[in-house]
Amino acid sequence: MDYREAFFALYLNQANKVLGIKKISESGISSTIVDVRIIMQAALLCNASAIILAHNHPSGNLKPSNEDLKITQNIKNASNFLNIQLLDHCILSSEDYLSFAEKGIL
């Protein structure tokens, strides 16, 4: 988990039961490419009512980058348009995590 950055989406039904988990991307040491359309396509195909996003920071630094904040806002805008609730975005390390929802970032 600590050597490459990866981005995942969890898709949930109306009862917040997990319908599926999809790896959106896995790339380099300090970044990964996230395509909002791929996240939304999977949500529509599995009839998701909600999404939880998660990605790791191999550095162990849990502070959201400007790119993290920007992609989260883009996904939130797309999910709002499709009436799919974005419940959280979590940044993970081997030691701890940061929840955007808990920190009031969403």
Side-chain angles (χ1 to χ4, degrees):
M1 176 172 153
D2 286 338
Y3 71 99
R4 291 175 67 183
E5 190 165 318
F7 195 100
F8 291 84
L10 289 77
Y11 299 98
L12 300 96
N13 66 15
Q14 288 184 332
N16 287 337
K17 301 288 185 189
V18 176
L19 298 168
I21 302 170
K22 179 170 179 57
K23 182 191 285 186
I24 303 303
S25 64
E26 183 176 35
S27 295
I29 295 168
S30 62
S31 67
T32 191
I33 296 171
V34 178
D35 191 330
V36 176
R37 296 168 296 182
I38 292 172
I39 294 169
M40 294 297 108
Q41 178 189 43
L44 292 170
L45 288 172
C46 71
N47 294 321
S49 295
I51 302 170
I52 296 174
L53 307 171
H55 79 281
N56 67 318
H57 277 180
S59 68
N61 179 2
L62 295 176
K63 182 179 179 193
S65 68
N66 288 334
E67 292 81 12
D68 293 340
L69 298 170
K70 182 179 176 183
I71 195 64
T72 302
Q73 188 59 51
N74 289 344
I75 295 166
K76 184 176 181 178
N77 292 342
S79 64
N80 285 342
F81 180 77
L82 295 171
N83 199 28
I84 298 170
Q85 188 175 11
L86 177 58
L87 297 177
D88 205 350
H89 183 172
C90 296
I91 299 175
L92 310 169
S93 76
S94 59
E95 300 292 322
D96 208 356
Y97 76 97
L98 177 135
S99 163
F100 281 42
E102 287 178 5
K103 294 291 184 184
I105 299 171
L106 276 181

